[in-house]
Amino acid sequence: MRKPIRTTTLFLSMSLCGRILLGLSAVTAATFALAPAALAAPKASKSIAVRIEGPNADDIREDILAIMPETLGVVDPDAFSKSLKGAGQTKPVGDALVSKAQRKKAIDRIRKAGKAAKAEGVIYGVSRTNKKKKEVHLVYVDENAGDLAVDSAVPLSGSRDDRKRALEELLGPTLAQIAPPPAPPPAEEDEVKGDREGEGEDGDGGGEERDADEGGKGGEREPHEAGSALFSIELGVEFVGRWFDYSDPRTQNLPPYSVFGQPALSVSGELYPLASTDIAVLKGLGVTAGYARALGLNSAVGSGDPISTTYERINLGLRERLSLGEASVLGISAGLRFLTFEIDAPADLARTVPNVSYTLFRAGLDGRFPVGPIALALGAEYILPLSSGPVYERFTGASVQGIGALAGVMVPVATGIEARLLVEYARFFSSFQPEQGDAYIAGGAIDQYLGLRLAGAYVY
């Protein structure tokens, strides 16, 4: 019979996790409630799209936005990405943008996407290394099918200020030509407001619009990228194994247990509700959840009859996502895991099977590191059992701790979709303090779990 304290611990653990998640939801709601003007701001009368490919793309795009005239708006990057895919450009343009003999189709698609996004034009760039020289080649594509107003490279060597000056020199004249004129000063506004129709009495709508647009430039994210995704979901098949063994057993009622290769279904997901904002720390804070259950698992003693067995795993937690370099991602996570492995044995056998029902607090680090076209996943965590289950309740002075590790490969299949091969390992090590006359006597136990997971994932 399980101790009543386990139920109390489980309730308190679930209550704590629920309060953490409720707090995150409250922060999300408060953020959007306190910033209605920025979320509902109208767009400027003229706007352009800006898209950069290759290394340091985010920094280069940020430098271009920094030299943008105040009266010129910027098309939402997600909206332009959809327009670009709708125009037939589903893959990065790459070096085709630089080769005048190969880029006609790409330029036509960029022009078509710009029209669909209702942009005056598109600044499109490809960051690359050309003969050991790092540069970004930029073009400005508008509705005119003639020569491009901008078609040149900016070196990426030197300081960031040098790069900004070079970008200003290349793009400044074109941006100034297409940008609407600034709003007149208040005195001049009063003189001419009588000749205007459809404006408010104070005549300062343009200034508000400009301020809102400037505020709207923050919080842009790259869709379908692990470092800035709004959410991701994974569905897979896992082949699970468990090995339970005692160290220094002194009584005959302590048999080991092992199983491997049992299929299980798994589903997991991550949600980052503030990923599209510029709020430090919170924009990388997400909620994680996962569930796995073995299918048709049975156990047996020797040549005995199969006994129905349950293997189930539930994960709930929070994860802080940090960008490292150009595309690597570091995750810092904490949360709860509920791990159950129960053999539905008859009463006489139930006293010897290693049934567990862990409630676990876990904290760890994980990383995603691109290697060519694929990405490698690595992770490690410390696991603290808050309650452990029947097998440990048989022993005097049981103390349990655990560690975990993760490794895997992610292979892109299509935009936002990837195939994953992951190996996950958990190890619980315990020590006992038996006393004379105990029915179960051993020095401790090792409980190990291994999962080999084949999965597909969608990242948005």
Side-chain angles (χ1 to χ4, degrees):
M1 183 175 181
R2 299 178 187 175
K3 296 180 181 179
I5 192 172
R6 181 185 176 277
T7 303
T8 303
T9 303
L10 177 61
F11 174 77
L12 292 175
S13 302
M14 294 182 69
S15 176
L16 175 61
C17 190
R19 290 180 182 181
I20 293 174
L21 300 182
L22 183 60
L24 180 61
S25 301
V27 169
T28 304
T31 300
F32 286 103
L34 293 174
L39 293 174
K43 294 185 178 180
S45 58
K46 285 188 177 182
S47 59
I48 65 170
V50 181
R51 185 178 180 88
I52 308 296
E53 298 177 4
N56 297 314
D58 291 342
D59 290 341
I60 297 170
R61 188 176 190 275
E62 183 179 337
D63 291 343
I64 293 175
L65 295 181
I67 66 172
M68 198 74 64
E70 293 182 350
T71 57
L72 192 60
V74 180
V75 173
D76 180 76
D78 291 348
F80 182 69
S81 294
K82 292 179 181 178
S83 298
L84 201 59
K85 293 174 184 175
Q89 189 65 43
T90 58
K91 297 180 179 180
V93 175
D95 288 339
L97 188 73
V98 180
S99 174
K100 295 183 179 180
Q102 302 177 10
R103 66 180 180 180
K104 184 179 184 304
K105 288 185 178 180
I107 294 295
D108 289 344
R109 290 168 180 166
I110 294 172
R111 180 176 289 113
K112 183 178 179 182
K115 291 181 180 179
K118 298 181 180 180
E120 295 293 319
V122 180
I123 296 176
Y124 207 105
V126 174
S127 173
R128 66 193 191 116
T129 300
N130 181 25
K131 297 180 180 179
K132 298 184 179 180
K133 179 182 178 182
K134 294 182 178 180
E135 63 181 19
V136 55
H137 194 100
L138 297 167
V139 297
Y140 178 76
V141 182
D142 57 18
E143 61 182 6
N144 300 317
D147 292 338
L148 301 176
V150 175
D151 185 7
S152 186
V154 170
L156 299 178
S157 57
S159 68
R160 192 165 186 177
D161 288 339
D162 293 337
R163 185 170 74 197
K164 288 182 178 179
R165 283 192 291 268
L167 290 171
E168 174 72 37
E169 182 178 347
L170 178 63
L171 298 173
T174 299
L175 294 175
Q177 185 177 359
I178 62 175
E188 183 179 347
E189 183 82 5
D190 291 338
E191 294 176 3
V192 300
K193 67 179 180 179
D195 297 329
R196 296 181 178 174
E197 296 180 0
E199 292 187 355
E201 292 182 1
D202 56 1
D204 63 353
E208 292 177 358
E209 180 180 22
R210 185 167 61 253
D211 292 343
D213 185 66
E214 288 175 354
K217 289 180 182 177
E220 295 175 349
R221 68 177 188 87
E222 188 70 21
H224 309 302
E225 293 290 339
S228 58
L230 181 63
F231 70 87
S232 66
I233 186 168
E234 176 192 289
L235 179 64
V237 176
E238 185 170 330
F239 297 93
V240 299
R242 184 200 184 194
W243 296 265
F244 187 98
D245 202 1
Y246 295 95
S247 58
D248 194 21
R250 298 295 180 87
T251 55
Q252 301 300 313
N253 52 0
L254 302 175
Y257 180 90
S258 66
V259 63
F260 181 68
Q262 181 64 35
L265 290 181
S266 71
V267 60
S268 61
E270 300 177 1
L271 173 64
Y272 298 86
L274 301 181
S276 295
T277 73
D278 272 338
I279 304 175
V281 180
L282 291 183
K283 71 176 182 179
L285 184 61
V287 181
T288 65
Y291 178 77
R293 185 180 180 91
L295 305 175
L297 176 59
N298 290 303
S299 302
V301 178
S303 58
D305 295 333
I307 304 172
S308 177
T309 303
T310 299
Y311 171 76
E312 186 175 63
R313 183 181 70 236
I314 301 173
N315 292 331
L316 295 172
L318 299 176
R319 179 174 182 262
E320 178 67 30
R321 181 176 62 192
L322 303 172
S323 295
L324 298 179
E326 296 174 5
S328 298
V329 179
L330 174 68
I332 305 172
S333 60
L336 296 175
R337 174 176 295 167
F338 306 95
L339 178 60
T340 300
F341 199 102
E342 292 186 344
I343 302 170
D344 189 17
D348 56 338
L349 187 59
R351 292 189 291 269
T352 64
V353 297
N355 285 352
V356 294
S357 186
Y358 293 110
T359 297
L360 309 166
F361 172 79
R362 57 193 183 90
L365 298 174
D366 64 86
R368 179 187 175 109
F369 309 99
V371 179
I374 66 173
L376 301 181
L378 295 172
E381 61 182 6
Y382 170 71
I383 306 173
L384 175 65
L386 303 178
S387 63
S388 304
V391 68
Y392 298 102
E393 294 170 0
R394 301 170 188 157
F395 296 91
T396 302
S399 174
V400 190
Q401 297 187 65
I403 55 174
L406 171 74
V409 179
M410 283 83 85
V411 181
V413 176
T415 302
I417 300 176
E418 60 186 23
R420 296 177 176 179
L421 173 61
L422 300 168
V423 179
E424 193 167 359
Y425 175 75
R427 179 186 181 95
F428 300 95
F429 41 94
S430 57
S431 61
F432 310 138
Q433 297 177 354
E435 298 177 354
Q436 189 69 28
D438 285 352
Y440 301 89
I441 298 178
I446 299 294
D447 193 11
Q448 303 177 82
Y449 296 83
L450 181 67
L452 176 63
R453 185 159 71 250
L454 301 173
Y458 177 70
V459 180
Y460 176 75

